[in-house]
Amino acid sequence: IVVLADNTKIGLETMCQTVPLHQISILITDEGADLQEVAAIREVGVQVKVGVVRGRPAGGGGVGGRPAGDAG
């Protein structure tokens, strides 16, 4: 399963879960995602790809500063 979710959805706990984390193969998000949340997601074996959103100021406190798809 591939999930596309912007930074506002990463680490968010809701009453309804759409896909359990252990079923996700790839998560695609933006550079605003919290670094600790991204690390925790990677620890369970999910490949995380981070894209840069054009027009957004750099340095949002997340994964920013890396080329699109090159978050490690």
Side-chain angles (χ1 to χ4, degrees):
I1 296 176
V2 176
V3 173
L4 175 62
D6 73 5
N7 71 77
T8 65
K9 307 300 185 284
I10 307 300
L12 183 67
E13 293 189 30
T14 64
M15 292 180 60
C16 143
Q17 183 181 53
T18 53
V19 180
L21 193 57
H22 70 274
Q23 291 184 358
I24 299 173
S25 299
I26 300 172
L27 168 65
I28 303 168
T29 190
D30 62 83
E31 75 277 2
D34 182 87
L35 289 171
Q36 291 178 339
E37 292 292 341
V38 169
I41 292 168
R42 286 185 171 134
E43 283 182 24
V44 298
V46 177
Q47 182 181 1
V48 180
K49 298 288 185 180
V50 180
V52 176
V53 178
R54 292 181 185 185
R56 177 182 290 173
V63 184
R66 296 188 179 152
D70 188 29

